Protein backbone atom coordinates (compact mmCIF):
# COMPACT_ATOMS: atom_id res chain seq x y z
CA UNK A 1 0.00 0.00 0.00
CA UNK A 2 2.82 2.40 0.90
CA UNK A 3 4.53 1.74 -2.42
CA UNK A 4 1.27 2.29 -4.34
CA UNK A 5 0.79 5.62 -2.56
CA UNK A 6 4.38 6.61 -3.31
CA UNK A 7 4.06 5.84 -7.03
CA UNK A 8 0.75 7.69 -7.27
CA UNK A 9 2.14 10.73 -5.45
CA UNK A 10 5.23 10.86 -7.64
CA UNK A 11 3.12 10.58 -10.78
CA UNK A 12 1.06 13.55 -9.60
CA UNK A 13 4.19 15.55 -8.78
CA UNK A 14 5.66 14.77 -12.20
CA UNK A 15 2.86 16.73 -13.88
CA UNK A 16 3.96 19.78 -11.90
CA UNK A 17 7.72 19.21 -11.99
CA UNK A 18 8.19 18.42 -15.69
CA UNK A 19 7.12 21.84 -17.07
CA UNK A 20 9.38 23.56 -14.53
CA UNK A 21 12.26 21.28 -15.48
CA UNK A 22 11.82 22.05 -19.18
CA UNK A 23 11.74 25.78 -18.47
CA UNK A 24 14.94 25.66 -16.42
CA UNK A 25 16.75 23.63 -19.07
CA UNK A 26 15.69 26.11 -21.76
CA UNK A 27 17.05 28.89 -19.56
CA UNK A 28 20.42 27.12 -19.41
CA UNK A 29 20.19 26.00 -15.78
CA UNK A 30 21.96 22.70 -15.11
CA UNK A 31 20.64 19.87 -12.91
CA UNK A 32 23.74 20.20 -10.72
CA UNK A 33 22.97 23.87 -10.09
CA UNK A 34 19.46 22.91 -8.97
CA UNK A 35 20.89 20.23 -6.69
CA UNK A 36 23.19 22.69 -4.93
CA UNK A 37 20.50 25.38 -4.75
CA UNK A 38 18.08 22.93 -3.17
CA UNK A 39 20.63 21.94 -0.55
CA UNK A 40 21.40 25.57 0.30
CA UNK A 41 17.67 26.21 0.67
CA UNK A 42 17.28 23.26 3.03
CA UNK A 43 20.23 24.51 5.09
CA UNK A 44 18.64 27.94 5.39
CA UNK A 45 15.29 26.47 6.43
CA UNK A 46 16.77 23.98 8.90
CA UNK A 47 19.59 25.99 10.47
CA UNK A 48 18.31 29.52 9.98
CA UNK A 49 14.74 28.87 11.06
CA UNK A 50 14.14 25.39 12.49
CA UNK A 51 17.10 25.40 14.87
CA UNK A 52 15.91 28.77 16.26
CA UNK A 53 12.42 27.46 16.96
CA UNK A 54 10.66 28.92 13.93
CA UNK A 55 9.26 25.50 13.10
CA UNK A 56 6.46 26.47 10.71
CA UNK A 57 8.71 28.63 8.53
CA UNK A 58 11.50 26.06 8.74
CA UNK A 59 9.24 23.16 7.76
CA UNK A 60 7.77 25.04 4.80
CA UNK A 61 11.17 26.20 3.50
CA UNK A 62 12.71 22.74 3.86
CA UNK A 63 9.73 21.12 2.11
CA UNK A 64 9.87 23.53 -0.85
CA UNK A 65 13.59 23.11 -1.38
CA UNK A 66 13.53 19.35 -0.74
CA UNK A 67 11.28 19.07 -3.81
CA UNK A 68 14.30 20.01 -5.93
CA UNK A 69 15.33 16.37 -5.38
CA UNK A 70 12.58 15.50 -7.88
CA UNK A 71 13.34 18.49 -10.09
CA UNK A 72 17.04 17.86 -10.68
CA UNK A 73 16.42 14.19 -11.44
CA UNK A 74 13.74 15.10 -13.98
CA UNK A 75 16.07 17.65 -15.58
CA UNK A 76 18.84 15.06 -15.80
CA UNK A 77 16.56 12.58 -17.57
CA UNK A 78 15.32 15.22 -19.99
CA UNK A 79 18.86 16.27 -20.84
CA UNK A 80 20.00 12.75 -21.67
CA UNK A 81 20.51 11.08 -18.33
CA UNK A 82 22.42 11.75 -15.15
CA UNK A 83 26.21 11.92 -15.31
CA UNK A 84 28.34 10.02 -12.81
CA UNK A 85 29.33 13.26 -11.13
CA UNK A 86 25.71 14.41 -11.09
CA UNK A 87 24.62 11.23 -9.34
CA UNK A 88 27.50 11.55 -6.87
CA UNK A 89 26.71 15.21 -6.19
CA UNK A 90 23.00 14.53 -5.71
CA UNK A 91 23.63 11.74 -3.21
CA UNK A 92 26.23 13.78 -1.32
CA UNK A 93 24.00 16.87 -1.11
CA UNK A 94 21.13 14.70 0.14
CA UNK A 95 23.28 13.59 3.06
CA UNK A 96 24.27 17.20 3.82
CA UNK A 97 20.63 18.30 3.77
CA UNK A 98 19.43 15.39 5.92
CA UNK A 99 22.18 16.04 8.48
CA UNK A 100 21.16 19.70 8.66
CA UNK A 101 17.48 18.88 9.16
CA UNK A 102 17.93 16.35 11.94
CA UNK A 103 20.81 18.24 13.50
CA UNK A 104 18.66 21.37 13.66
CA UNK A 105 15.75 19.43 15.15
CA UNK A 106 18.02 17.84 17.76
CA UNK A 107 19.53 21.22 18.65
CA UNK A 108 16.12 22.88 19.11
CA UNK A 109 14.77 20.01 21.18
CA UNK A 110 17.89 20.21 23.36
CA UNK A 111 17.25 23.90 24.01
CA UNK A 112 13.72 22.92 25.05
CA UNK A 113 15.04 20.29 27.46
CA UNK A 114 13.36 17.47 25.53
CA UNK A 115 16.03 14.80 25.92
CA UNK A 116 13.83 11.98 24.61
CA UNK A 117 13.18 14.02 21.47
CA UNK A 118 16.92 14.64 21.05
CA UNK A 119 17.56 10.90 21.29
CA UNK A 120 14.88 10.25 18.67
CA UNK A 121 16.33 12.88 16.33
CA UNK A 122 19.83 11.42 16.61
CA UNK A 123 18.45 7.93 16.06
CA UNK A 124 16.66 9.18 12.93
CA UNK A 125 19.90 10.72 11.68
CA UNK A 126 21.84 7.49 12.19
CA UNK A 127 19.12 5.23 10.81
CA UNK A 128 18.54 7.49 7.81
CA UNK A 129 22.23 7.30 6.99
CA UNK A 130 22.07 3.52 7.21
CA UNK A 131 19.04 3.39 4.90
CA UNK A 132 21.03 5.24 2.24
CA UNK A 133 24.30 3.40 2.89
CA UNK A 134 22.77 -0.08 2.62
CA UNK A 135 21.29 0.80 -0.77
CA UNK A 136 24.52 2.38 -2.05
CA UNK A 137 26.63 -0.55 -0.86
CA UNK A 138 24.29 -3.10 -2.43
CA UNK A 139 24.29 -1.27 -5.77
CA UNK A 140 28.08 -1.00 -5.57
CA UNK A 141 28.17 -4.81 -5.39
CA UNK A 142 25.95 -5.11 -8.45
CA UNK A 143 22.67 -5.82 -6.67
CA UNK A 144 19.41 -3.88 -6.50
CA UNK A 145 17.97 -2.39 -3.32
CA UNK A 146 14.89 -0.36 -4.29
CA UNK A 147 12.75 -1.52 -1.39
CA UNK A 148 11.66 -0.01 1.89
CA UNK A 149 8.79 1.91 3.40
CA UNK A 150 10.88 4.92 4.52
CA UNK A 151 12.86 6.32 1.64
CA UNK A 152 14.19 9.90 1.77
CA UNK A 153 11.00 11.61 0.62
CA UNK A 154 8.90 9.81 3.23
CA UNK A 155 11.42 10.59 5.98
CA UNK A 156 11.42 14.31 5.24
CA UNK A 157 7.64 14.33 4.96
CA UNK A 158 7.19 12.73 8.39
CA UNK A 159 9.57 15.09 10.19
CA UNK A 160 8.18 18.05 8.24
CA UNK A 161 4.60 17.33 9.29
CA UNK A 162 5.73 16.84 12.88
CA UNK A 163 7.61 20.13 12.88
CA UNK A 164 4.70 21.99 11.28
CA UNK A 165 2.17 20.67 13.81
CA UNK A 166 4.46 21.46 16.73
CA UNK A 167 4.94 24.97 15.37
CA UNK A 168 1.17 25.32 15.28
CA UNK A 169 0.85 24.34 18.94
CA UNK A 170 0.67 20.54 19.01
CA UNK A 171 3.67 20.13 21.31
CA UNK A 172 4.05 16.35 21.14
CA UNK A 173 3.72 16.11 17.36
CA UNK A 174 7.43 16.45 16.56
CA UNK A 175 8.72 13.96 19.16
CA UNK A 176 6.03 11.46 18.13
CA UNK A 177 6.93 11.95 14.46
CA UNK A 178 10.61 11.40 15.25
CA UNK A 179 10.02 8.16 17.16
CA UNK A 180 7.74 6.94 14.39
CA UNK A 181 10.37 7.85 11.81
CA UNK A 182 13.11 6.12 13.80
CA UNK A 183 11.02 2.95 13.91
CA UNK A 184 10.18 2.88 10.19
CA UNK A 185 13.77 3.78 9.27
CA UNK A 186 15.17 0.88 11.28
CA UNK A 187 12.53 -1.37 9.73
CA UNK A 188 13.59 -0.17 6.27
CA UNK A 189 17.22 -1.01 7.01
CA UNK A 190 16.10 -4.51 7.93
CA UNK A 191 14.00 -4.77 4.76
CA UNK A 192 16.95 -3.82 2.60
CA UNK A 193 19.37 -6.18 4.33
CA UNK A 194 16.95 -9.08 3.86
CA UNK A 195 16.39 -8.11 0.22
CA UNK A 196 20.13 -8.07 -0.48
CA UNK A 197 20.65 -11.32 1.43
CA UNK A 198 18.09 -13.07 -0.76
CA UNK A 199 19.77 -11.78 -3.91
CA UNK A 200 23.15 -12.95 -2.65
CA UNK A 201 21.72 -16.38 -1.90
CA UNK A 202 20.24 -16.64 -5.40
CA UNK A 203 23.59 -15.72 -6.97
CA UNK A 204 25.33 -18.27 -4.77
CA UNK A 205 23.05 -21.03 -6.01
CA UNK A 206 23.33 -20.19 -9.72
Amino acid sequence: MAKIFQVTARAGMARVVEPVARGLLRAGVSPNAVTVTGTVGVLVGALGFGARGHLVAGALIVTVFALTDLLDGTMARMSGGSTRFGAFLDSSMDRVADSAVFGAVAYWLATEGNHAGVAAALLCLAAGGLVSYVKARAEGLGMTCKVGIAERTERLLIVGVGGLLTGLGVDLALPIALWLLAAVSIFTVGQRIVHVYRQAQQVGHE
Side-chain angles (χ1 to χ4, degrees):
M1 182 63 71
K3 186 61 69 176
I4 293 173
F5 174 78
Q6 182 186 59
V7 171
T8 302
R10 286 183 179 271
M13 286 299 301
R15 287 193 286 270
V16 177
V17 170
E18 288 179 1
V20 177
R22 292 192 189 93
L24 289 173
L25 288 172
R26 283 196 295 267
V29 179
S30 71
N32 290 347
V34 172
T35 298
V36 174
T37 300
T39 301
V40 171
V42 171
L43 292 176
V44 170
L47 303 178
F49 290 87
R52 297 167 61 193
H54 304 301
L55 300 184
V56 174
L60 293 175
I61 293 170
V62 167
T63 298
V64 169
F65 281 97
L67 291 176
T68 59
D69 198 42
L70 297 175
L71 184 58
D72 58 9
T74 301
M75 292 172 66
R77 288 192 296 274
M78 289 180 172
S79 59
S82 176
T83 63
R84 288 188 176 182
F85 177 74
F88 166 80
L89 180 66
D90 183 62
S91 180
S92 299
M93 291 298 99
D94 284 351
R95 302 292 78 73
V96 171
D98 291 355
S99 297
V101 169
F102 290 102
V105 168
Y107 174 82
W108 179 75
L109 289 169
T111 65
E112 296 292 304
N114 191 328
H115 302 301
V118 172
L122 295 177
L123 186 56
C124 287
L125 180 58
L130 277 173
V131 169
S132 301
Y133 173 79
V134 170
K135 180 179 179 180
R137 183 59 177 152
E139 291 176 345
L141 293 172
M143 292 180 278
T144 63
C145 197
K146 295 180 180 180
V147 298
I149 60 173
E151 296 188 11
R152 184 172 185 261
T153 301
E154 287 75 21
R155 296 199 302 273
L156 290 179
L157 178 62
I158 291 172
V159 72
V161 169
L164 184 62
L165 290 176
T166 294
L168 293 174
V170 186
D171 293 339
L172 292 178
L174 183 55
I176 289 173
L178 289 170
W179 283 111
L180 172 63
L181 179 56
V184 297
S185 296
I186 292 171
F187 183 76
T188 297
V189 172
Q191 278 185 300
R192 292 187 168 183
I193 291 174
V194 170
H195 181 73
V196 173
Y197 172 77
R198 289 172 176 168
Q199 289 181 79
Q201 290 293 99
Q202 290 176 353
V203 171
H205 287 104
E206 288 180 355

